[in-house]
Amino acid sequence: MEEEKKKRSETSSKENKETNKGEEQSVPFFGWLVKNVILAVIFFAVLIVGTNIFLNWRTRHGQTVEVPDFTNMNAREAEYNAGVEGLRVEVTDSVYVKKMGRGLVFSQSPKPGAKVKKNRKVRLVINSVQPKKVHMPNVVGLSMRQANSELVSKGLRLGKLIYVKDIATNNVMRQLYNNREISPGKQVESGSKIDLVVGLNPENDKTYIPDVRGLKYQRAIDVLHESSLNVGKVTFDKKVKTYADSLDAVVVKQTPEPPKKDERSKPVKMGKDVSLELSDGSISK
């Protein structure tokens, strides 16, 4: 009996030792696992913070510069001035503007004064060194409006409307370039002005003065031509310094003035000159 109790006691003691041994082995494993999880969390946290710091440094986060005005500079001057501000420039397109210096910057994007990050690329449109040639279309026999649309489609502009007595009002009778008649198919520089000799029937020779105040320069010219009127003297204020500025300028005054809201429009003879004063700021009508 005593021997049996002794055996049971030894067996129980052996089992307890094995259990304790297993627990002792599991504790280090659990501690190792927790330790590695914590280290992994710290590693990824450091990685994220470090990446953000690097990206902020790389992109100069929060640091902006004001885009200079590159208009009327040549490409080399624009590149130098851009580099001073930590910017880059790229010529992406060209136009041909007869009144502007060849090879000079016509427009840019972003516009002057815009706030951008350093190393930003500014896209430039320059005035072509070589004028583009286009073929003169035949607009004789068309209405004045049809002729204008045809000229615009060929890269030309309507100049002066010269009215002469005829049975059909606004019928194009002749097309002129530099005060000389120009034949269809002849090459001229893109952007050239073409004057039109158009008919005027005495029984249908009246039009009305439109209100072009607040309109941009070219749009104001188009509206006057659509009303069978000519553009008279054009003046710009001191704020308009370049040809590109003139394209963005708006009409602040016109002569003759349009009728007021409570006044009745008075008819004027077709072909009358309307003088314009323009500024770089708009006005409310």
Side-chain angles (χ1 to χ4, degrees), residues 39-49:
L39 289 175
V41 171
I42 293 173
F43 171 77
F44 283 109
V46 171
L47 180 63
I48 292 171
V49 172

Side-chain angles (χ1 to χ4, degrees), residues 70 73-83 89 91 103-105 124 126:
F70 298 117
M73 294 183 186
N74 60 41
R76 183 172 295 181
E77 289 173 333
E79 184 177 9
Y80 173 79
N81 283 277
V89 294
V91 177
L104 302 184
V105 176
L124 306 178
I126 63 170

